[in-house]
């Protein structure tokens, strides 16, 4: 029997981000309700745990990876393996709050579509930015989130919990995945993350930015298959 696979999307993202992965893995489910509007990482993790299987493989993308680490900290025995994609484990950096609030204020002032159009293109690799169908799909996904969800998730990210203890305690197979052109969460940043985790492997997806699961879904799905094939130390 295949392991249950749970996917946690990032800022303004929903199951649409992982359409190709959900189609390829029948045992997979993605959180599709923006964490019920939660405005803390801790509340997001509790929301996920409330409906999660007893044991499961876990993929977190961007903000979702931070939720995944909080979930592992709360229920380590329920997670059989972990994939962290296009993310960070650092605290809030100088200027980050100002940058995030500038986007928030743009949405309040000029409309949420203007916020999305300012935020989304820099998140993508060069090829994706000129892929009209992909851009339209990702833009529509972000617009589904809306201003209130963006603001709640922004507050969650600006008050995110420390991850040091969770990283040090990880004992399951861990894959750290990043798009080669991710300018928000760089390859070097992911190299540092992988170095801090026992049994972690780093994978760089060529021709992809921060939205690597949607930009290069076949490559992303191949990495998932390889990761799911790694033996765990305890029965799944």
């Amino acid at each position: 029997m295949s392991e249950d696979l749970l996917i946690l999307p990032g800022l303004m993202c929903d199951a649409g981000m992982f359409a190709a992965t959900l189609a390829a893995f029948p045992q997979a489910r993605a959180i599709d309700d923006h964490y019920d509007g939660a405005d803390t990482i801790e509340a997001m993790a509790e929301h996920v745990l409330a409906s999660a299987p007893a044991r499961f493989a876990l993929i977190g993308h961007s903000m979702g990876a931070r939720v995944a680490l909080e979930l592992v900290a709360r229920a380590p025995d329920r997670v059989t393996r972990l994939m962290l994609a296009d993310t960070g484990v650092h605290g809030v950096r100088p200027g980050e709050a100002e940058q995030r609030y500038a986007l928030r204020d743009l949405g309040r002032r000029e409309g949420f579509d203007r916020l999305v159009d300012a935020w989304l293109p820099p998140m993508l690799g060069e090829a994706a930015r000129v892929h009209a169908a992909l851009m339209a799909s990702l833009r529509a996904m972000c617009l589904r989130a809306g201003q209130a969800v963006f603001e709640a998730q922004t507050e969650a990210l600006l008050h995110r919990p420390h991850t040091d203890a969770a990283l040090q305690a990880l004992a399951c197979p861990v894959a750290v995945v990043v798009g080669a052109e991710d300018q928000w969460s760089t390859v070097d940043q992911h190299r540092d993350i992988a170095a801090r985790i026992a049994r972690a492997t780093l994978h760089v997806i060529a021709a992809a930015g921060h939205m690597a699961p949607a930009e290069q879904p076949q490559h992303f799905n191949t990495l998932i298959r390889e990761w799911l094939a790694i033996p765990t130390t305890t029965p799944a």
Side-chain angles (χ1 to χ4, degrees):
M1 182 176 178
S2 299
E3 285 176 72
D4 287 313
L5 176 57
L6 188 58
I7 304 173
L8 309 185
L11 178 68
M12 288 195 284
C13 296
D14 57 28
M17 176 78 175
F18 303 93
T21 296
L22 294 170
F25 297 92
Q27 76 274 32
R29 176 174 71 90
I31 296 300
D32 198 34
D33 64 353
H34 300 111
Y35 305 96
D36 198 33
D39 63 359
T40 69
I41 298 296
E42 294 89 340
M44 292 175 185
E46 284 299 321
H47 176 69
V48 173
L49 283 169
S51 64
R55 283 173 62 78
F56 51 90
L58 183 62
I59 298 174
H61 175 255
S62 192
M63 180 192 74
R66 291 185 177 274
V67 178
L69 286 170
E70 179 64 21
L71 189 154
V72 171
R74 290 167 182 256
D77 294 340
R78 294 178 65 180
V79 179
T80 58
R81 62 187 75 235
L82 178 65
M83 179 178 285
L84 304 172
D86 297 292
T87 192
V89 297
H90 53 276
V92 176
R93 289 171 169 160
E96 181 180 338
E98 291 81 358
Q99 185 178 2
R100 293 188 184 277
Y101 285 146
L103 279 169
R104 177 201 67 185
D105 294 345
L106 175 64
R108 290 178 176 180
R109 186 175 63 249
E110 300 185 28
F112 188 64
D113 58 334
R114 292 276 291 145
L115 184 161
V116 170
D117 289 339
W119 179 81
L120 181 58
M123 293 290 110
L124 301 169
E126 184 178 355
R129 287 195 296 270
V130 296
H131 189 310
L134 177 60
M135 281 294 297
S137 174
L138 292 174
R139 184 177 188 270
M141 176 190 70
C142 293
L143 289 172
R144 287 195 294 272
Q147 181 82 19
V149 163
F150 176 82
E151 295 198 15
Q153 293 182 352
T154 293
E155 290 305 314
L157 286 165
L158 289 176
H159 298 88
R160 53 192 184 248
H162 294 293
T163 59
D164 290 352
L167 292 170
Q168 292 170 7
L170 284 169
C172 63
V174 179
V176 178
V177 179
V178 60
E181 300 174 28
D182 190 337
Q183 299 301 308
W184 179 256
S185 304
T186 64
V187 172
D188 283 346
Q189 180 168 295
H190 287 77
R191 190 173 290 114
D192 291 341
I193 294 170
R196 296 174 63 183
I197 303 172
R199 299 185 66 191
T201 54
L202 174 67
H203 305 276
V204 180
I205 299 180
H210 192 70
M211 303 300 196
E215 294 177 65
Q216 295 293 341
Q218 291 185 338
H219 192 162
F220 188 70
N221 287 350
T222 295
L223 294 178
I224 293 175
R225 292 187 187 95
E226 294 173 355
W227 167 69
L228 289 173
I230 300 171
T232 57
T233 53
T234 56

